[in-house]
């Protein structure tokens, strides 16, 4: 169960951090004034604008077009004025659509279909590739290629989903498919309130949340605390999720022109990496039929290993709960984040923003299939100063520091040889002495890769297996500027420029005995430029065109940098080019509660492969969304997209060429096996082949109806067109849909209950396990069957 001492320690630690950040911020205010008040002397002195938005207890639906986008494309922007494809998921929509994790953004955001992320998505996916995760406009630590820690939404009240690389204000990133900006909960200075929530679901799933806001000084100071405890079993075998999340937020407005928002989040989680079901044949996808038989290595061993071949023994209906997990697997993480925003309205024209972010992360993943990923401490700090002149000019600077110590080992995994209908021992991969000799012992009987390659016997060949082990430090200095010009009353241009200087060091933290640990340093400039044209065809109708070009990095776990086989930091990791062209139309009629847009895009970007290399991906497509709310109490949002995603004259990698390679041909009545063996790492030559794991067509609808003052109904439905699971398109995931419904009843103004039924039609849906298709011939993830959740909420 839970260690309450951790929550107490986190609270004490957070208060200390509050005090330190508070003292630092207050000490810096005179410096900011000294630096920037001269700017105000050149402008006419006017009464500063009020910068505090007072929010009451509004519970009605707030549409995406009715909430400003803060801290992404400027200080504040309306959705219809942003020349990019974006979707705002407001607090009310998060609540109504029962959004729990990053997979659920597909209910509202077109082209955001995602792989399962081993059952715990830590990164969003958009336009066929992983995106980034931001909190309050600052990039946060997440997973390694999507394999990271689960995400709690306890600390957040809304989010913005944007396609393509982040704009110039946010800085250079690794993943450029798009990004999600989570907006933290803020303390409210207008009213005190408390909300208690409880949710119970099938398979012994329990969640509790307490959210309390207290006004210290009306319209001046407030404090907020939100605690979430999750204790969930699972439909899947040997799977659980147990977490504690604590948010502390403080709001201070010493004057009408100054605001300070501070929040701290502590998150402790114990979960299961869920690899889904192996041997994904077409029979498995279509009829849940699984081929039995344990794979045998070329040396005769039945321990799962490279090149193993399976002699099929039968074809059985497998329970979809029987997945590749192990009760002895260990996956835990602890992280805390601190965010500070100081907003100073210098005069009627000039706005100064100072954003500070710090995150600490520890993660330990030790699985019985020999996979190891340990983050033994990752520190990230970023500070950004922004100056905004009216609505047209923005510029500033930032510093980002990242320090990571981590160890990994994924070179001896072997999933296809495992017979899931057999014993647990058949799933486990004890390392042989020969395998151990190619690794380094981190702890007794725990082996990981060194952080560099070494040739101990001087035969000209490296003697070790490499993964992502590293001890690295990076500094990123950035300068950015964005300017808008009103060429005519209807036509305007926006130009954005950015330059980032990187200074990086990487060391081998675990060199083999008898050698000097390798290390290297690298420095580089990365740039970004954007140009957008917007034309107001009518007062409510905007047509835009955007061109964006940027460089990005290629990092390992927790944003670290690794040494390659030559013992150096690969300069190509700082030379990944990304390009985006978008043309769109946005319509937001005044006086009406609806919004619509349509976007065409052409985007090229990179994908970091599991071995650390990079492949290019290109995509073109169309995205549509429509949001409407009627005065009579019903509302609906629709989204649809088409994407043509393919390898951009680039190589592709899979752990196994095709699933048939895992089997011999002894039972052609079951499968025509090739006997090649699996895993058998395969490099497909450069091509323009369709990107596997991404549906060409995606559509969804979310709707609600306020039947009476006390009773409401709602639901959502999603559809994806069939798509290939593997590079050679030997296995297809068929057309799929899912329907979710809910009803809510308010017994009193304070007490309400809600019943959700998920996957009402009990569809046997599937998803890829990992982004980029590496496991396309090895694993597929079965969706949850129909299940129900009951929630209670009490407000006072």
């Amino acid at each position: 169960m839970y260690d309450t001492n951790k929550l107490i320690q986190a609270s004490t630690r957070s208060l200390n951090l509050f005090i330190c950040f508070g003292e630092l911020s207050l000490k810096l205010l005179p410096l900011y004034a000294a630096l920037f008040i001269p700017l105000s002397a050149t402008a006419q002195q006017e009464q500063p604008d009020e910068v505090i938005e007072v929010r009451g207890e509004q519970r009605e639906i707030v549409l995406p077009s009715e909430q400003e986008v803060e801290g992404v494309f400027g200080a504040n922007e309306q959705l219809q004025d942003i020349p990019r494809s974006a979707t705002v998921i407001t607090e009310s929509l998060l609540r109504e659509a029962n959004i729990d994790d990053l997979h659920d953004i597909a209910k509202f955001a077109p082209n955001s279909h995602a792989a399962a992320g081993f059952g715990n998505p830590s990164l969003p996916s958009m336009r066929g590739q992983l995106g980034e995760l931001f909190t309050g406009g600052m990039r946060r630590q997440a997973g390694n290629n999507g394999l990271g820690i689960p995400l709690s939404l306890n600390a957040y009240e809304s989010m913005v989903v944007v396609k393509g690389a982040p704009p110039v204000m946010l800085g250079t990133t690794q993943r450029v498919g798009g990004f999600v900006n989570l907006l933290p909960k803020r303390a409210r200075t207008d009213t005190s309130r408390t909300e208690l929530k409880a949710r119970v679901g099938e398979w012994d799933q329990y969640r509790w949340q307490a959210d309390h806001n207290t006004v210290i000084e009306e319209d001046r100071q407030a404090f907020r605390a939100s605690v979430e405890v999750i204790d969930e079993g699972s439909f899947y075998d040997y799977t659980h999720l147990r977490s504690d999340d604590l948010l502390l937020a403080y709001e201070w407005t010493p004057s009408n022109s100054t605001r300070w928002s501070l929040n701290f989040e502590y998150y402790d989680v114990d979960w299961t990496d869920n690899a889904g079901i192996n041997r994904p044949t077409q029979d498995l996808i279509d009829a849940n039929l699984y081929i039995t038989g344990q794979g045998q290595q070329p040396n005769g061993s039945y321990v799962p290993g490279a090149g193993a071949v399976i002699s099929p023994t039968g074809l059985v209906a497998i329970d979809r709960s029987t997945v590749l997990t192990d009760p002895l697997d260990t996956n835990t993480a602890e992280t805390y984040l601190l965010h500070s925003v100081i907003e100073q309205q210098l005069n009627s024209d000039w706005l100064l923003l100072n954003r500070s972010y710090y995150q600490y992360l520890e993660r330990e993943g030790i699985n019985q299939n020999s996979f190891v990923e340990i983050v033994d401490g990752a520190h990230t700090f970023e500070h950004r100063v922004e100056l905004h002149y009216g609505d047209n000019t923005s510029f500033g600077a930032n510093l980002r520091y990242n320090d990571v110590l981590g160890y990994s080992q994924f070179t001896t995994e072997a999933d296809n040889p495992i017979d899931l209908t057999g014993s647990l021992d058949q799933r486990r991969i004890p390392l042989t002495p020969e395998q151990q000799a190619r690794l380094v012992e981190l702890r007794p009987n725990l082996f990981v890769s060194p952080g560099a390659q070494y040739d101990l016997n001087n035969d000209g060949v490296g003697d070790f297996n490499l993964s992502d082990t590293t001890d690295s430090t990076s500094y990123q200095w950035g300068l950015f500027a964005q300017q808008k010009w009103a060429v005519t009353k209807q036509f305007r241009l926006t130009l954005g420029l950015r330059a980032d200087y990187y200074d990086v060091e990487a060391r081998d933290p675990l060199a083999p005995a008898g050698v000097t640990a390798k290390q290297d340093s690298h420095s580089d400039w990365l740039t970004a430029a954007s140009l957008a044209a917007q034309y107001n065809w009518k007062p409510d109708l905007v047509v835009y065109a955007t061109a964006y070009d940027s460089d990005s990095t290629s990092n390992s776990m927790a944003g670290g940098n690794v040494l390659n086989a030559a013992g150096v930091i690969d300069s190509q990791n700082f030379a990944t080019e990304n390009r985006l062209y978008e043309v769109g139309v946005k319509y937001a009629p005044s006086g009406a509660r609806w919004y619509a847009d349509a976007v065409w895009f052409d985007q090229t970007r990179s994908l970091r492969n599991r071995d650390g290399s990079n492949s290019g991906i290109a995509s073109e497509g169309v995205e549509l969304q429509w949001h409407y709310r009627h005065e009579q109490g019903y509302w609906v949002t629709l989204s649809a997209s088409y994407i043509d995603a393919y390898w951009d004259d680039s190589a592709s990698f899979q752990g196994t060429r095709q699933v048939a390679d895992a089997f011999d041909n002894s039972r052609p009545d079951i499968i025509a096996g090739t006997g090649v063996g699996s895993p058998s790492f395969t490099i497909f030559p450069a091509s323009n082949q369709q990107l596997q794991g991404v549906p060409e067509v995606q559509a969804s609808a979310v709707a609600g109806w306020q039947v009476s003052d006390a009773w409401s109904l709602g639901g959502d439905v999603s559809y994806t067109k069939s798509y290939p699971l593997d590079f050679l398109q030997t296995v297809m995931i068929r057309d799929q849909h899912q329907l979710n419904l809910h009803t809510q009843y308010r017994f009193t103004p304070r007490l309400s209950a809600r019943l959700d039924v998920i996957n009402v039609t009990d569809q046997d849906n599937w998803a890829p396990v990992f982004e980029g298709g590496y496991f396309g011939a090895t694993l597929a993830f079965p969706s949850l069957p129909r299940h129900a959740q009951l929630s209670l909420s009490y407000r006072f």
Side-chain angles (χ1 to χ4, degrees), residues 307-352:
V309 177
I310 306 161
S311 295
T313 58
L315 188 65
V316 302
I318 191 170
D319 194 310
R320 291 166 63 87
S321 65
T322 305
V323 290
L324 195 54
T325 54
D326 193 297
L328 298 183
D329 287 351
T330 297
N331 285 280
T332 61
E334 183 179 26
T335 185
Y336 52 84
L337 303 90
L338 186 65
H339 282 263
S340 171
V341 179
I342 298 175
E343 182 174 331
Q344 179 71 47
Q345 192 78 47
L346 301 176
N347 59 28
S348 60
D349 294 319
W350 286 99
L351 173 66
L352 171 67

Side-chain angles (χ1 to χ4, degrees), residues 402-480:
N402 193 60
D403 183 80
V404 178
L405 174 60
Y407 310 93
S408 73
Q409 203 302 92
F410 49 68
T411 62
T412 56
E413 285 181 72
D415 296 326
N416 265 335
I418 296 169
D419 186 346
L420 284 180
T421 65
S423 67
L424 285 174
D425 285 339
Q426 291 177 248
R427 305 183 183 191
R428 295 168 180 167
I429 305 178
L431 299 179
T432 65
E434 292 77 15
Q435 289 172 323
Q436 293 176 4
R438 295 189 61 83
L439 301 169
V440 181
E441 193 170 23
L442 177 64
R443 304 172 192 163
N445 297 315
L446 179 62
F447 292 83
V448 297
S449 297
Q453 186 61 270
Y454 303 91
D455 180 11
L456 300 184
N457 57 12
N458 297 314
D459 64 352
V461 179
D463 297 324
F464 294 90
N465 296 345
L466 296 185
S467 300
D468 277 340
T469 296
T470 188
D471 179 6
S472 66
T473 304
S474 67
Y475 294 87
Q476 174 187 348
W477 291 269
L479 295 172
F480 64 89

Side-chain angles (χ1 to χ4, degrees), residues 473-507:
T473 304
S474 67
Y475 294 87
Q476 174 187 348
W477 291 269
L479 295 172
F480 64 89
Q482 180 176 280
Q483 178 65 44
K484 299 178 182 178
W485 293 277
V487 181
T488 68
K489 290 183 178 181
Q490 294 176 291
F491 182 65
R492 62 186 181 274
L493 294 173
T494 303
L495 174 65
L497 298 172
R498 183 176 181 111
D500 286 279
Y501 179 74
Y502 278 81
D503 188 6
V504 182
E505 292 183 355
R507 301 158 291 276

